[in-house]
Amino acid sequence: LYIAGGDGIRVLAADGSASLLATVPGTVGMVAWNGALYAASGTDGTTPDVFCSATNQGVIWKITTDGQSSVFARGFISPNFIVVTPWNTLLVADDCRKNTDIYEVDASGNTSVWNSTFASANGMVFDATFSNLFVATTFVTGSPLYEIAVTPDHTAGTATKIRNYQSGTTPDGVAMDQAGNLYVALNVAGLIHRVAPDGTDSPFAEGMTTPASLAFGNAPGFDPCSMYVTSLFGEDVYQVAVGTPGLPLVQ
């Protein structure tokens, strides 16, 4: 399991031991794509990483399996969550309060705007058919959860608000299982909520310090029917039993 956080990318073995793969400044969300890791950061290493500062040089870093790192894409302030699309691009959320853009990065590192419907987008996950993208928002009133239709030409369609979460709970990472249940980390509240396919929302797991990113097990020794959960302000990684496998990730 690869984990971004702080100033490094770490490898977590199934026995819980961790080792440093690469030193990369200010890492947040990360995905595996085209044989490498891609991590969001608010700095390219030339300026301090200050959340949502206009002076940030926000980038996507590329980290190879041997620990080499380089800047892959630019054009952000405080990029946070990343998701790989089935049409071989990255979608990147920047959860600044006033930012209304979700960005798209192609395989050459070119950045464009994919959607501009709502502010403070954070966690994102596709459904099983890739016809809808679910997006959590963090720093706006009501902390809404949205569903964005994906058109046949891969552009963003209509965005529909599914529900609000209590302001101050700060929705963060999201994940989906093969039964169509959506999981939302409410990090300040210390909770993970589950949204059923019929839209019913209920608390699912508690007892964590600021749960942030959610990933289903996808390697020997990691349970495919559990989520592995990072902590925004803690140093622990939690295993949360779900009982259903997660949707396969596009890589």
Side-chain angles (χ1 to χ4, degrees), residues 134-203:
F134 294 90
V135 185
T137 63
T138 302
F139 298 116
V140 291
T141 301
S143 299
L145 177 68
Y146 286 93
E147 180 179 2
I148 303 176
V150 179
T151 67
D153 65 356
H154 307 151
T155 58
T158 301
T160 303
K161 183 192 295 186
I162 298 174
R163 61 161 293 110
N164 287 339
Y165 288 102
Q166 183 177 348
S167 293
T169 57
T170 59
D172 198 328
V174 296
M176 181 169 282
D177 67 22
Q178 291 186 14
N181 295 299
L182 178 67
Y183 300 86
V184 183
L186 306 179
N187 58 39
V188 169
L191 299 172
I192 295 174
H193 272 227
R194 179 167 63 186
V195 183
D198 65 2
T200 303
D201 178 274
S202 58

Side-chain angles (χ1 to χ4, degrees), residues 50-194:
V50 180
F51 181 62
C52 288
S53 170
T55 62
N56 275 15
Q57 298 293 323
V59 300
I60 304 299
W61 289 87
K62 178 181 179 179
I63 304 98
T64 58
T65 54
D66 61 357
Q68 301 300 309
S69 60
S70 58
V71 172
F72 175 72
R74 297 180 180 270
F76 317 98
I77 296 177
S78 290
N80 190 331
F81 206 91
I82 309 174
V83 67
V84 181
T85 73
W87 55 91
N88 199 36
T89 64
L90 302 177
L91 296 182
V92 182
D94 184 327
D95 60 341
C96 294
R97 286 178 175 86
K98 295 182 179 180
N99 180 64
T100 60
D101 294 331
I102 295 174
Y103 302 92
E104 185 166 26
V105 179
D106 68 17
S108 298
N110 301 307
T111 302
S112 58
V113 175
W114 186 75
N115 176 265
S116 297
T117 305
F118 48 84
S120 194
N122 196 337
M124 302 181 290
V125 67
F126 285 103
D127 64 10
T129 64
F130 301 103
S131 57
N132 294 283
L133 180 73
F134 294 90
V135 185
T137 63
T138 302
F139 298 116
V140 291
T141 301
S143 299
L145 177 68
Y146 286 93
E147 180 179 2
I148 303 176
V150 179
T151 67
D153 65 356
H154 307 151
T155 58
T158 301
T160 303
K161 183 192 295 186
I162 298 174
R163 61 161 293 110
N164 287 339
Y165 288 102
Q166 183 177 348
S167 293
T169 57
T170 59
D172 198 328
V174 296
M176 181 169 282
D177 67 22
Q178 291 186 14
N181 295 299
L182 178 67
Y183 300 86
V184 183
L186 306 179
N187 58 39
V188 169
L191 299 172
I192 295 174
H193 272 227
R194 179 167 63 186

